[in-house]
Amino acid sequence: THPSSSNYSSSSSSSHQLHYINLPKYRPPAYTRASEYHVVGHDNSTSALAGRERSPKDSSMDPAAPHRILLKDHKDHHFNILFAGVGDARHFLITLTDIMTQKGRDDAILAGSSHTFHFVLNDLKASAIARDIVIITLLQTLPSLNEQEDKTMLNKTYALLEYVYQSEVMPPDLYSMLVETISSLVTSVRSGSLPSYMTLHPKDRDQVWAALSFWQAPPSLSAKDVLAKPVEVLDDDQQEQMMEKYIRTLPLDQQRMIREGMRREKLKQPPQLNPEHELFRATRIMCPP
């Protein structure tokens, strides 16, 4: 995530270059006794209607899950849902998916009923909220594109959402679409004229606007500049040695847990994913399908 204006000045090209080239993408491992440490979210996306935390043995959208909230059992109901520390909005997005899945599955039962939803997305980082606003705005364009049967733009929007959500690079034409969307949002946020389905607290408006404006600015580095930066890639033996050194600093029960997790990860990866795994090791980039 790009830093917002509160701790970064986008007006300085040299400062931008220094931050982009020399600072690490992720912080180094925490050599502490913390039970876990992840620099990006790793929790399973869980619908707010699921009723309980998702586990590997059940789905957050399983109709038979305990305490499951089914729309067919709450006709003409208004839901208020708070996502505190929303981050990348994975729980919010899976909740939207859950709602649409239920409406499609139980269409006959829900005929004539009315449900309204009020979502509050909260986060300490303005840049997280700004990114979520971009994603929500792109999602909102999908129904109209589908009605217009504009399959080319529809597919490009799907692809752009995939790149925005989980990748650090994207094709030039999709990047142009992203900048166009961000430029429109910069104007809307600044003037307080966001679409009717979305409101932004006035005290957060300046920080969100600053993050969007930073992303809107043309990059000071080209793809050629980035690719020219040497990348140190550790071989498997070096990675295992570094990991083993870190694991030995942990209590024995945590050592066993981590080693078992690593063993399972090796078993789960099919051979066809090896090229993508090597790309991620070298660049820390995951390409959408």
Side-chain angles (χ1 to χ4, degrees):
T1 304
H2 288 286
S4 65
S5 62
S6 60
N7 56 14
Y8 181 80
S9 173
S10 60
S11 61
S12 172
S13 177
S14 60
S15 177
H16 186 174
Q17 198 166 39
L18 172 66
H19 279 257
Y20 195 92
I21 287 290
N22 294 329
L23 296 184
K25 293 287 184 186
Y26 299 126
R27 290 173 292 178
Y31 293 94
T32 68
R33 291 184 177 272
S35 59
E36 61 178 2
Y37 180 82
H38 294 264
V39 295
V40 293
H42 67 292
D43 47 328
N44 292 326
S45 55
T46 305
S47 170
L49 307 183
R52 70 173 186 181
E53 184 69 19
R54 181 177 175 179
S55 72
K57 294 184 178 180
D58 57 61
S59 168
S60 70
M61 295 193 292
D62 180 4
H67 310 296
R68 182 78 164 94
I69 297 175
L70 299 175
L71 299 183
K72 65 182 181 180
D73 297 332
H74 298 80
K75 294 183 179 180
D76 303 318
H77 197 80
H78 176 76
F79 294 87
N80 291 297
I81 303 175
L82 167 67
F83 293 94
V86 67
D88 61 12
R90 67 186 66 185
H91 304 301
F92 166 68
L93 295 174
I94 199 66
T95 300
L96 295 183
T97 303
D98 187 6
I99 292 169
M100 298 309 298
T101 299
Q102 289 196 47
K103 284 183 174 292
R105 183 186 61 222
D106 301 324
D107 182 59
I109 300 175
L110 293 172
S113 63
S114 175
H115 297 93
T116 55
F117 296 86
H118 179 210
F119 298 103
V120 177
L121 310 187
N122 174 270
D123 202 283
L124 289 172
K125 296 291 185 180
S127 53
I129 296 298
R131 180 175 178 271
D132 294 339
I133 289 175
V134 172
I135 292 172
I136 292 168
T137 301
L138 290 170
L139 286 172
Q140 190 66 18
T141 66
L142 295 176
S144 61
L145 290 174
N146 192 42
E147 290 176 4
Q148 297 167 17
E149 297 185 352
D150 189 342
K151 292 186 177 180
T152 299
M153 186 58 67
L154 185 66
N155 290 335
K156 288 181 71 173
T157 305
Y158 277 127
L160 177 56
L161 279 162
E162 189 83 22
Y163 277 104
V164 168
Y165 198 81
Q166 66 176 30
S167 186
E168 297 177 354
V169 294
M170 66 182 67
D173 59 330
L174 296 184
Y175 177 71
S176 297
M177 281 182 60
L178 175 61
V179 171
E180 183 178 342
T181 301
I182 291 175
S183 297
S184 175
L185 286 171
V186 165
T187 302
S188 299
V189 170
R190 194 58 160 175
S191 62
S193 57
L194 284 167
S196 58
Y197 60 83
M198 187 189 312
T199 58
L200 181 64
H201 198 286
K203 73 174 185 178
D204 299 323
R205 189 178 298 159
D206 288 345
Q207 286 185 298
V208 171
W209 176 85
L212 292 168
S213 297
F214 176 75
W215 297 334
Q216 178 190 26
S220 59
L221 295 172
S222 66
K224 183 178 179 180
D225 294 329
V226 175
L227 292 174
K229 173 69 176 175
V231 178
E232 180 183 2
V233 180
L234 301 178
D235 60 33
D236 290 338
D237 289 339
Q238 290 174 311
Q239 288 196 24
E240 288 183 8
Q241 290 173 11
M242 290 184 63
M243 192 63 184
E244 182 63 27
K245 183 178 179 180
Y246 164 60
I247 291 175
R248 288 178 181 176
T249 66
L250 303 174
L252 289 177
D253 58 334
Q254 291 183 31
Q255 291 186 31
R256 287 192 293 269
M257 181 180 66
I258 292 176
R259 289 196 174 98
E260 177 62 18
M262 293 170 63
R263 185 186 69 82
R264 290 179 179 176
E265 284 298 321
K266 289 182 179 180
L267 293 176
K268 284 194 300 184
Q269 180 172 305
Q272 58 265 34
L273 291 184
N274 288 338
E276 185 174 352
H277 176 68
E278 293 301 316
L279 173 66
F280 179 75
R281 285 181 57 236
T283 64
R284 289 299 182 263
I285 291 174
M286 293 184 67
C287 293

